[in-house]
């Protein structure tokens, strides 16, 4: 796959080299392509999506595995799993017709009128854009992340919990023990979510506003991601250099996802070593 | 009692056998016709004419059930590639082949099959459809130089309409598309500044605005965003009920996009069209009428959508005489009877001088050097 992508993007790699990664102009007419804004857009929208979805998923997973009666929990779990199975186009349409009008008419004006003095929250409100994309991605990630986390919490040995309770731990302390026991699985869930967020194309291209710029002027401004530009421009691209540049973006996307999973591996290995150390003691 | 039930069973068995035999002797009621060999034609390309081509295929199949036509809307670029790589019998494209592409696909015939037009659409609360625009004003809006709806340049074109003091949100296509090609072709032809700063193409480096995917995406975004302006194919402007504007032509009239005004533009442009076998890379209805002060009643932002085929069909792998004849007959039908289905789907039918040009083109198609349609 790497080889195929490399072959396809050879024209662009040959012409722009590293300049492709640091360039910030995307002009199919003049044949100048640089992907830095796309890389930044992808990383920032995904990171913020994780920031939003992580605490919520953790809460849902804990509620499902610890607090709810079994029957109710199973019912809830069924619905959460169902959400994970919705195709991303549907999320995108829902984003356009439900989420965007709601954010544009209610939430964003409220934020702007109260926090408008901070540059992040100033500027025109289109409805779609950077923050909207992150929120939509977060909504898409929550079912996946919370399902995985629930499975992990169920796997926590009850002996551990009972031991903590017998030592007089409060409910909060028991949970913090559980979380620290399950942290590897939680990191795994985050990485899986991050992978999905980085690679999401359809839903993102429908709400992000597809504006090619290095940094948006505010959280409400439009931006672009790598996956979104692939979904948008590939189908009708005619110029060979344009096609090659798009394949080059695909190659970068693969590299970034690879880096994410390598980082995940490193974190997991590091933690395993600590746990191993504890075990030996 | 027993004898009667045996008799009934016997009668049922005889009836079933006789019906089955009758059916097996006369499959599907084709008693008189000699069984015909099934022929399949494959096409691929542009998404814009897909609803029309799809209609043609199903109507054609009703008349000639033995001919199965398969069209995949993979995009103009994909269609052109498929044509050059000779993997389809016919390809559809919103843009003609460039001279460079023609070197790899010599003997390509261009057949305009339908007409598209690009229409400015807007969403200003309490302002009805029919605002007047000129190319210069549209170019300045899409360059970000005109920022507000009550800019003097827009007010001057629309006396008596009180436009609001609101920021204009520009919406453009995020995907590569023939629609963008025609739109930027028009803006480049009319505005020197647009030509130098942005240029024309299926995707360009937009100075301002939000991008949406597909005509339906732009239509939805304009519908959702107050004080926005965008551009969509004529068919989408009609189907979605968005407000669309009039555009000033070289004759000085503000023309509402309609089947008549679009057809007019093609009639004026058709005078200078090349022959089917020549290069069409320079053909642009926009360029040929943008400065034509004689083109009264013509809507300027108009373009062809093409089917491209090889002049000598034996270059395609697996081609035989019967399939070649089926292809030529289908194309012939498309430019004649097929055109009657255009208006119902908001496509613009070909004017008679273009149909005549196409007839000549289709008559050039050969198989092993022999002309197929006479």
């Amino acid at each position: 796959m790497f080889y195929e992508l490399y072959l396809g993007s050879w024209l662009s790699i040959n012409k722009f080299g590293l300049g492709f990664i640091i360039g910030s102009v995307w002009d199919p007419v003049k044949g100048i392509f640089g992907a830095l804004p796309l890389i930044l857009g992808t990383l920032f929208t995904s990171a913020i999506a994780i920031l939003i979805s992580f605490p919520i998923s953790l809460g849902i997973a804990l509620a499902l595995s610890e607090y709810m009666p079994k029957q109710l929990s199973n019912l809830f779990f069924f619905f959460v799993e169902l959400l994970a199975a919705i195709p991303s186009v549907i999320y995108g349409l829902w984003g356009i017709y439900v989420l965007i009008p709601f954010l544009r008419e209610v939430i964003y004006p409220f934020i702007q009128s109260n926090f408008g003095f901070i540059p992040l929250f100033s500027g025109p409100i289109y409805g779609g854009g950077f923050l909207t994309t992150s929120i939509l991605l977060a909504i898409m990630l929550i079912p996946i992340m919370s399902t995985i986390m629930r499975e992990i919490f169920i796997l926590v040995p009850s002996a551990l919990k009972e031991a903590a309770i017998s030592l007089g731990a409060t409910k909060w302390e028991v949970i913090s023990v559980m979380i620290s026991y399950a942290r590897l699985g939680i990191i795994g869930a985050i990485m899986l979510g991050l992978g999905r967020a980085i690679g999401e194309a359809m839903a993102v291209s429908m709400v992000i506003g597809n504006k090619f710029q290095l940094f948006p002027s505010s959280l409400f401004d439009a931006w672009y991601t790598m996956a979104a530009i692939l979904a948008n421009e590939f189908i009708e691209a005619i110029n060979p250099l344009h096609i090659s540049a798009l394949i080059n973006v695909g190659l970068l996307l693969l590299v970034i996802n690879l880096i994410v999973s390598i980082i995940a591996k490193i974190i997991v290995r590091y933690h395993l070593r600590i746990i191993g150390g504890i075990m030996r003691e | 009692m027993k004898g009667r039930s045996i008799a009934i069973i016997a009668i049922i068995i005889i009836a079933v056998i006789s019906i089955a035999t009758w059916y097996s002797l006369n499959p599907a009621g084709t008693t008189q016709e000699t069984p015909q060999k099934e022929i399949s034609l494959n096409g691929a390309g542009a998404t814009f004419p897909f609803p029309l081509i799809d209609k043609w295929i199903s109507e054609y199949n009703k008349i000639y059930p033995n001919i199965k036509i398969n069209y995949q809307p993979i995009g103009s670029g994909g269609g052109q590639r498929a044509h050059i790589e000779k993997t389809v019998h016919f390809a559809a494209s919103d843009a003609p082949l460039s001279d460079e592409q023609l070197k790899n696909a010599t003997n390509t015939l261009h057949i305009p099959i339908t007409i598209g037009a690009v229409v400015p659409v807007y969403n200003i609360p309490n302002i009805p459809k029919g605002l007047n625009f000129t190319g210069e004003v549209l170019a300045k809006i899409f360059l970000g130089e005109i920022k507000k709806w009550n800019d003097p340049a827009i007010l001057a074109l629309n006396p008596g309409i009180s436009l609001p003091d609101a920021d204009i949100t520009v919406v453009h296509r995020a995907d590569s598309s023939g629609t963008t090609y025609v739109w930027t072709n028009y803006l480049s032809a009319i505005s020197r500044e647009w030509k130098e700063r942005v240029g024309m193409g299926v995707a360009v480096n937009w100075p301002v605005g939000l991008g949406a995917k597909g005509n339906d995406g732009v239509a939805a975004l304009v519908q959702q965003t107050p004080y926005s302006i965008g551009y969509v194919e004529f068919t989408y402007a009609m189907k979605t009920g968005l407000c669309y504007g009039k555009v000033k032509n070289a004759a000085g009239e503000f023309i509402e996009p309609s089947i008549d005004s679009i057809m007019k533009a093609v009639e004026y442009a058709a005078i200078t069209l090349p022959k089917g076998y020549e290069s069409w890379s320079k053909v642009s209805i926009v360029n040929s009428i943008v400065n034509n002060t004689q083109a009264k009643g013509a809507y300027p932002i108009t373009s062809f959508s093409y089917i491209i085929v090889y002049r000598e069909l034996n270059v395609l792998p697996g081609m035989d005489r019967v399939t070649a004849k089926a292809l030529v007959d289908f194309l012939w039908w498309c430019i004649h009877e097929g055109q009657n289905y255009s208006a119902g789907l908001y496509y613009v039918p070909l004017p008679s001088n273009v149909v005549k040009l196409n007839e000549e083109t289709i008559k050039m198609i050969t198989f092993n050097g022999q002309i197929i349609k006479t």
Side-chain angles (χ1 to χ4, degrees), chain B residues 6-23:
Chain B
I6 287 174
I8 290 170
I9 291 170
I11 288 168
I12 291 172
I13 289 173
I14 289 166
V16 167
I17 289 173
S18 56
I19 289 170
T21 339
W22 189 78
Y23 264 103

Side-chain angles (χ1 to χ4, degrees), chain A residues 104 209-210 231-233 236 243, chain B residues 75-76 81 175-176 211 213 224:
Chain A
R104 187 184 58 226
N210 303 312
N232 280 335
E233 292 194 359
E236 289 271 355
I243 296 169
Chain B
S76 291
R81 275 196 294 278
D175 47 335
S176 321
K213 190 173 158 66
Q224 292 278 316

Side-chain angles (χ1 to χ4, degrees), chain B residues 66-333:
Chain B
N66 63 318
I67 296 175
K68 297 267 179 287
I69 305 165
N70 172 17
Y71 179 78
Q72 291 177 9
I74 57 171
S76 291
Q80 295 182 348
R81 275 196 294 278
H83 174 75
I84 293 168
E85 287 158 10
K86 302 190 173 74
T87 54
V88 289
H89 295 128
F90 66 95
S93 172
D94 296 336
L97 290 188
S98 67
D99 288 333
E100 196 150 316
Q101 286 171 314
L102 281 173
K103 278 181 208 151
N104 297 322
T106 45
N107 270 330
T108 292
L109 298 177
H110 284 79
I111 305 168
I113 48 152
T114 191
I115 301 160
V118 185
V119 176
V121 290
Y122 54 86
N123 172 0
I124 316 170
N126 305 321
I127 301 284
K129 72 170 186 179
L131 276 187
N132 289 336
F133 293 103
T134 62
E136 288 86 4
V137 164
L138 287 172
K140 284 203 171 114
I141 292 174
F142 277 77
L143 281 168
E145 287 174 6
I146 294 181
K147 290 191 169 67
K148 291 203 180 277
W149 278 110
N150 63 351
D151 190 279
I154 305 179
L155 288 176
L157 299 174
N158 297 285
I161 298 176
S162 58
L163 287 159
D165 177 26
D167 286 331
I168 301 176
T169 303
V170 169
V171 179
H172 56 74
R173 286 286 286 270
D175 47 335
S176 321
S177 78
T179 314
T180 298
Y181 185 85
V182 177
W183 182 251
T184 51
N185 183 187
Y186 175 70
L187 295 182
S188 300
I190 219 148
S191 157
R192 200 189 175 82
E193 200 189 347
W194 182 274
K195 192 175 181 180
E196 278 160 11
R197 273 183 57 190
V198 185
M200 57 186 279
V202 289
V204 298
N205 185 15
W206 295 97
V208 289
L210 305 176
K213 190 173 158 66
N215 277 304
D216 38 359
V218 171
L221 194 54
V222 169
Q223 220 150 21
Q224 292 278 316
T225 315
Y227 308 110
S228 60
I229 184 168
Y231 59 91
V232 294
E233 275 290 342
F234 172 67
T235 52
Y236 284 86
M238 295 293 129
K239 274 189 253 176
T240 53
L242 279 168
C243 293
Y244 52 88
K246 296 177 184 168
V247 179
K248 194 177 183 181
N249 65 10
E253 310 158 300
F254 288 99
I255 301 291
E256 180 172 332
S258 70
I259 288 183
D260 284 341
S261 62
I262 296 166
M263 236 170 124
K264 267 263 163 57
V266 178
E267 276 169 25
Y268 286 111
I271 301 163
T272 56
L273 288 179
K275 298 281 179 206
Y277 58 85
E278 290 170 341
S279 167
W280 283 60
S281 61
K282 301 282 183 303
V283 171
S284 155
I285 300 175
V286 168
N287 289 345
S288 61
I289 71 158
V290 76
N291 290 318
N292 183 353
T293 50
Q294 303 301 311
K296 282 212 165 51
Y299 180 78
I301 318 173
T302 301
S303 76
F304 281 130
S305 189
Y306 304 92
I307 279 184
I308 47 179
V309 290
Y310 282 101
R311 186 172 183 177
E312 170 53 63
L313 289 174
N314 72 7
V315 298
L316 295 174
M319 189 53 117
D320 54 41
R321 168 161 288 281
V322 185
T323 314
K325 171 127 181 27
L327 176 61
V328 168
D329 286 341
F330 173 65
L331 293 176
W332 188 266
W333 183 89

Side-chain angles (χ1 to χ4, degrees), chain B residues 38-58:
Chain B
E38 190 166 285
I39 302 168
S40 66
L41 298 174
N42 290 317
T47 47
F48 159 64
F50 173 60
L52 183 63
I53 293 180
D54 201 38
K55 177 82 180 157
W56 285 346
I57 289 173
S58 74

Side-chain angles (χ1 to χ4, degrees), chain B residues 300-370:
Chain B
I301 318 173
T302 301
S303 76
F304 281 130
S305 189
Y306 304 92
I307 279 184
I308 47 179
V309 290
Y310 282 101
R311 186 172 183 177
E312 170 53 63
L313 289 174
N314 72 7
V315 298
L316 295 174
M319 189 53 117
D320 54 41
R321 168 161 288 281
V322 185
T323 314
K325 171 127 181 27
L327 176 61
V328 168
D329 286 341
F330 173 65
L331 293 176
W332 188 266
W333 183 89
C334 288
I335 62 161
H336 293 102
E337 288 89 339
Q339 295 298 316
N340 300 335
Y341 297 101
S342 299
L345 296 166
Y346 297 110
Y347 283 86
V348 180
L350 299 170
S352 57
N353 49 4
V354 178
V355 173
K356 205 151 165 274
L357 181 75
N358 282 343
E359 286 177 355
E360 288 169 22
T361 308
I362 291 175
K363 281 178 181 169
M364 290 170 199
I365 300 176
T366 57
F367 182 73
N368 287 339
Q370 280 184 305

Side-chain angles (χ1 to χ4, degrees), chain A residues 156-218:
Chain A
V156 172
S158 53
L160 194 73
K161 279 188 269 179
E162 282 156 13
I165 295 168
S166 71
L167 287 173
T170 61
K171 198 114 200 181
W172 275 113
E173 284 163 344
V174 174
I175 284 173
S176 72
V177 166
M178 281 177 67
I179 291 177
S180 73
Y181 180 86
R183 62 177 181 274
L184 283 184
I186 293 172
I187 292 167
I190 292 175
M191 288 302 162
L192 207 66
L194 197 58
R196 167 128 200 225
I198 288 173
E200 180 51 50
M202 281 316 292
V204 170
S205 72
M206 288 162 91
V207 300
I208 198 166
N210 303 312
K211 193 173 185 180
F212 199 90
Q213 54 184 355
L214 200 54
F215 280 104
S217 65
S218 74

